[in-house]
Amino acid sequence: MPAPFTRELKTLPIVNGVTFDFEPFELPLWLSNAHLQTILPTVLVKHDPEYRRELVLDSYQMSDVAYDFIDTDEPKPEGSQCYKTPLVVLFHGMEGSSANHYARTLATYVKQRGWHFVVGHFRSCGGVPVREDVVYHAGDSQETHHTLQVLAEHYETIYAVGVSLGGNLLARYMADYGDDAVCEAAVVFSAPLDLASATTAMESLVGRRLYTPYLLNPMLSKVLSQELDLTELNKITASERIQEFDEAFTAPRLGYRSPYDYYRQASAMPHLYKISKPTLIITAKDDPFLGINATAGDVSPSVVLYEPAHGGHIGFVRWKDKRLDTNWVPETALNFFETVASA
């Protein structure tokens, strides 16, 4: 067996005065292909959690959004009291839901740890249509805050995980709200913190052929069910790239001058220095979805950056105990939260 790839850390990170002693992501040579890492979890993950769904109005009080819970055996609090056992909330990726492999893996792992879990869906995701033309977007800190405030009415301690687009959203929220962020800590995986360069990265040959249709087609189907004028309809149906869709629909609907104006204003990267609560950002250097990644000079002292050489996009599949294992993501996230709690 070839020796594993290892990114040796000179020193372990310190979080609120406590050492974050985590297991670096390691894998054998035959498992190091970025596209293999990205695709493997979609076929490996067999977990099928039984979610409890609640529909809650969004921050505009216009559309229902889905909250999919995994509960513990903790008795329901009386009156205005809150659950004492921590809650982990997941903000999913573009056009994602609680059915995605990373959501099911995290839900199963959190339940095994005895904590509560919920996927806070974006507007129009999880099979719940929007009632108005308000769309979700990558920099919507207001909606993120609303989601966490709703949950804080029932849970005393909240931790948050953001994946892909949801990772940029969560990082931006942690920066925008600082000490007023509802969650005690955040973990961000595979996030396009610089949206413009991530969109460019998706224009590679493999990205354009393999990943763009996977992301774009659900958005096209959803948008085409709305009332559109002929000009808007023609532009949307002609879209073959994410940037073309954002130019035809996302940017004008959100009031941005262009897709690049949207990417600039919604990206978390320029704001990471404002984060004041413990935040872990993990990005594989071979992530095929991403462009520019954050460096130590971009972030505040409250942020821990970890960039393993491999892992793909929300992949991080390792070889453990003679089998393929997808638990490194939830294992690392909960390890971080437990480190924060012990500080």
Side-chain angles (χ1 to χ4, degrees), residues 164 167 244:
S164 194
E244 291 174 344

Side-chain angles (χ1 to χ4, degrees), residues 113-132:
R113 286 290 187 98
W115 289 10
H116 300 279
F117 176 79
V118 64
V119 177
H121 288 84
F122 304 148
R123 296 183 189 91
S124 80
C125 294
V128 181
V130 291
R131 295 177 184 166
E132 302 290 341

Side-chain angles (χ1 to χ4, degrees), residues 9 11-24 187 189 279-282 304-306 328-329 331-340 342:
L9 299 176
T11 58
L12 290 170
I14 304 297
V15 180
N16 285 2
V18 178
T19 300
F20 175 39
D21 189 6
F22 74 108
E23 182 178 338
V187 178
F189 288 100
T279 300
L280 172 63
I281 298 177
I282 297 178
V304 174
L305 295 176
Y306 178 52
W328 187 83
V329 165
E331 177 184 297
T332 304
L334 264 70
N335 187 354
F336 185 74
F337 296 146
E338 288 170 343
T339 299
V340 171
S342 68

Side-chain angles (χ1 to χ4, degrees), residues 16 141-142 144-145 148 158 160 169-186 268 271-279 300-303:
N16 285 2
S141 292
Q142 175 183 314
T144 306
H145 192 59
L148 292 168
I158 298 176
L169 186 74
L170 178 58
R172 180 62 189 270
Y173 169 76
M174 298 300 287
D176 287 349
Y177 280 79
D179 290 338
D180 292 328
V182 174
C183 49
E184 298 298 323
H271 306 274
L272 299 177
Y273 72 95
K274 297 184 292 185
I275 293 177
S276 59
K277 287 193 171 183
T279 300
S300 77
S302 298
V303 177

Side-chain angles (χ1 to χ4, degrees), residues 1 24 26 44 49 75 80 105 108 127 150 184 193 204 230 239 255 257 288-289 306 310 315 328 332:
M1 182 70 65
E26 302 176 350
L44 286 176
S80 61
T105 299
T108 302
V150 167
E184 298 298 323
L193 301 174
S204 67
L230 185 59
S239 299
R257 296 189 303 273
F289 281 46
Y306 178 52
H310 303 279
W328 187 83
T332 304

Side-chain angles (χ1 to χ4, degrees), residues 75-152:
K76 186 175 181 179
E78 297 181 357
S80 61
Q81 294 182 331
C82 295
Y83 287 105
K84 302 298 183 182
T85 304
L87 170 75
V88 175
V89 54
L90 172 68
F91 293 99
H92 58 76
M94 181 183 293
E95 290 303 294
S97 73
S98 59
N100 283 99
H101 68 81
Y102 52 81
R104 291 182 284 127
T105 299
L106 185 59
T108 302
Y109 195 89
V110 171
K111 182 180 180 180
Q112 291 172 350
R113 286 290 187 98
W115 289 10
H116 300 279
F117 176 79
V118 64
V119 177
H121 288 84
F122 304 148
R123 296 183 189 91
S124 80
C125 294
V128 181
V130 291
R131 295 177 184 166
E132 302 290 341
D133 289 339
V134 180
V135 298
Y136 72 88
H137 64 91
D140 196 348
S141 292
Q142 175 183 314
E143 185 67 20
T144 306
H145 192 59
H146 172 75
T147 298
L148 292 168
Q149 282 183 314
V150 167
L151 296 169

